[in-house]
Amino acid sequence: MKAVILVGGQGTRLRPLTVGVPKPMVPLANKPFVSYVLEHLRQNGVNEVVFSMGYLPDGIKSYFGDGSDFGIKLTYAVEDHPLGTAGAVKNVEQHIQDGDFLVLNGDILTDLDLRALVEFHRQKGASGTISLTPVDDPTAYGLVRTGAEGEVLGFLEKPSWDQIDTNLINAGTYALKAEVLDMIPAGVEYSFERGVFPRLVGGGLFGFSSDSYWMDIGTPEKYLQAHYDILEKNVRTAVSVCLNEDYVCVEGDVRLEAGAKLVPPVIIGAGSVINSGARVGRMAVIGPGCVVGTGSVVEESVIQADSMLEEDVTVRRSIIARGAQIGPGTVVTAGAVVGEEATVEGNNVLANNIRVYPGTVIKAGTIRF
Ligand code: GDD
Ligand code: MG
């Protein structure tokens, strides 16, 4: 079975984390996000994957190479202008053989049983099967109305409130017959959500609902939530193995000074140093090569690689991107996001979802609430 992973989007809602890093490479519990998608495919018996890319493709290629380190044969296609979700798949048609194949949005964390999806698809003799998941607010998604046998009765991308009559949405994983490619015009922008699926209604399009874990990593809030879910093992990932029975995962050599505290669940990256009197957790992920200074507290937060928290820093429900530096006494809280290699000097208070762009310098004591 082959799969196409769509990773051409710009990830605008995840800025500033995606200013210099494409969304698939943004680290989730210290590994590029899309490596979870690959691992999930591999575990479900998929061994050939095509990455369909647009924005910042080089980092993805150089990290994953031909896929041999990940147990999957990988090929890449880069669009010079966005072709839309279906146009992107049409663009890699030469890699897809007859029969069925999978298409995956590249920004979804899930442990959906892909074998069960494909089995359902074949049993129905479907031309396309869309995985479905329930959400509270379908307006940001593709609403999918289904009948008693799972047949799709309507597909409505980004519905308005008055159009909502189900909580089931397109979960962004499809099993498709190769014939569906014939419905997609070549070389122009065309989408599954507004083109292929609405046209396929009544023509062998089915929905497969499941109660698997499902999360789209679209915003900083969801990025944090995905970390909490990995830390609490609400979703099955390779990280669950490292998080032992104590829910503490220490990746390689870490220096914990006397009096430093780890409060589970917690993940600490290799080569990090936790100074005396610092407390990390509960619900914290520290990247490799970080320093958490004396008396500092990190709670319900993500600190990416090579960041430095000086003394008495507090980070709560917030994200610090790679290589940032936070000065003494500064508080980063309530959904703040500090971009890569930004410097926030001492005695600042960053809160209220503030987003600090990469490389910014905030002088000591300039932001208070
Ligand atoms: N190669 C390529 N080219 N990939 C693209 C393009 C393109 O032109 N446009 C989007 N993508 C990729 C994105 O990188 C992402 O992985 C996926 O296609 C979906 O695009 P998003 O921009 O993330 O769409 P969305 O989140 O608003 O909605 C989609 O996902 C929802 C589930 O999270 C739709 O498929 C909805 O129907 C669905 O409910
Ligand atoms: Mg998305």
Side-chain angles (χ1 to χ4, degrees):
M1 191 76 159
K2 276 199 181 181
V4 180
I5 307 182
L6 297 170
V7 289
Q10 292 200 10
T12 47
R13 289 170 303 155
L14 207 51
R15 285 181 190 156
L17 299 176
T18 47
V19 172
V21 182
K23 184 151 76 169
M25 294 305 288
V26 170
L28 180 63
N30 296 342
K31 287 192 302 184
F33 174 67
V34 81
S35 66
Y36 293 82
V37 181
L38 283 184
E39 173 64 14
H40 178 224
L41 285 168
R42 201 181 57 80
Q43 284 189 341
N44 280 269
V46 176
N47 46 25
E48 284 192 58
V49 167
V50 184
F51 268 119
S52 167
M53 312 188 289
Y55 181 66
L56 301 176
D58 297 343
I60 306 178
K61 277 189 189 168
S62 59
Y63 186 90
F64 291 102
D66 65 2
S68 46
D69 291 353
F70 301 85
I72 275 190
K73 182 172 176 286
L74 282 180
T75 43
Y76 300 90
V78 184
E79 291 153 32
D80 42 25
H81 61 102
L83 289 171
T85 48
V89 173
K90 181 75 174 176
N91 187 45
V92 299
E93 191 170 17
Q94 74 273 22
H95 298 294
I96 297 161
Q97 289 123 5
D98 290 347
D100 300 309
F101 67 104
L102 294 167
V103 174
L104 294 94
N105 285 355
D107 58 351
I108 307 289
L109 180 65
T110 181
D111 50 19
L112 172 71
D113 184 344
L114 295 174
R115 288 192 173 96
L117 169 75
V118 171
E119 197 181 298
F120 172 93
H121 172 75
R122 289 188 174 149
Q123 236 170 35
K124 296 286 180 191
S127 35
T129 302
I130 304 172
S131 66
L132 307 177
T133 194
V135 295
D136 293 335
D137 173 8
T139 56
Y141 301 104
L143 184 88
V144 185
R145 300 178 178 132
T146 51
E149 303 297 315
E151 72 278 17
V152 173
L153 303 175
F155 189 106
L156 211 50
E157 184 66 14
K158 311 287 189 281
S160 54
W161 275 108
D162 55 322
Q163 293 174 310
I164 292 169
D165 47 14
T166 169
N167 65 349
L168 286 180
I169 58 119
N170 167 19
T173 302
Y174 321 128
L176 300 175
K177 269 192 180 147
E179 287 95 275
V180 169
L181 292 166
D182 300 335
M183 296 176 65
I184 308 171
V188 294
E189 195 172 337
Y190 201 73
S191 90
F192 283 111
E193 295 86 345
R194 296 179 198 274
V196 175
F197 293 152
R199 278 173 59 203
L200 256 186
V201 170
L205 185 64
F206 283 80
F208 175 79
S209 43
S210 85
D211 54 5
S212 314
Y213 178 88
W214 187 87
M215 170 80 68
D216 67 317
I217 317 283
T219 61
E221 298 71 45
K222 289 183 175 168
Y223 179 72
L224 278 177
Q225 187 60 48
H227 279 90
Y228 304 156
D229 289 331
I230 287 176
L231 284 163
E232 292 195 305
K233 301 190 202 177
N234 294 334
V235 51
R236 263 174 289 126
T237 68
V239 182
S240 312
V241 182
C242 180
L243 280 169
N244 50 30
E245 284 156 30
D246 307 328
Y247 286 76
V248 175
C249 167
V250 175
E251 305 172 330
D253 255 359
V254 164
R255 187 150 64 87
L256 261 187
E257 283 188 355
K261 254 193 228 163
L262 299 187
V263 185
V266 64
I267 298 173
I268 314 284
S272 284
V273 178
I274 316 295
N275 287 146
S276 66
R279 171 160 65 80
V280 179
R282 68 181 281 276
M283 299 278 218
V285 175
I286 307 289
C290 291
V291 176
V292 179
T294 305
S296 288
V297 174
V298 181
E299 230 176 47
E300 297 178 37
S301 292
V302 175
I303 314 291
Q304 294 180 1
D306 303 322
S307 289
M308 158 95 166
L309 312 183
E310 296 185 42
E311 285 144 50
D312 300 317
V313 168
T314 302
V315 184
R316 226 172 241 128
R317 287 196 85 81
S318 291
I319 303 162
I320 311 281
R322 185 189 54 77
Q325 188 139 349
I326 313 293
T330 282
V331 177
V332 182
T333 187
V337 185
V338 176
E340 290 196 333
E341 291 177 2
T343 303
V344 183
E345 293 181 356
N347 297 311
N348 282 294
V349 179
L350 305 186
N352 296 348
N353 304 308
I354 190 172
R355 298 184 184 198
V356 177
Y357 268 58
T360 305
V361 177
I362 298 177
K363 292 282 177 206
T366 44
I367 304 184
R368 318 281 307 180
F369 280 87

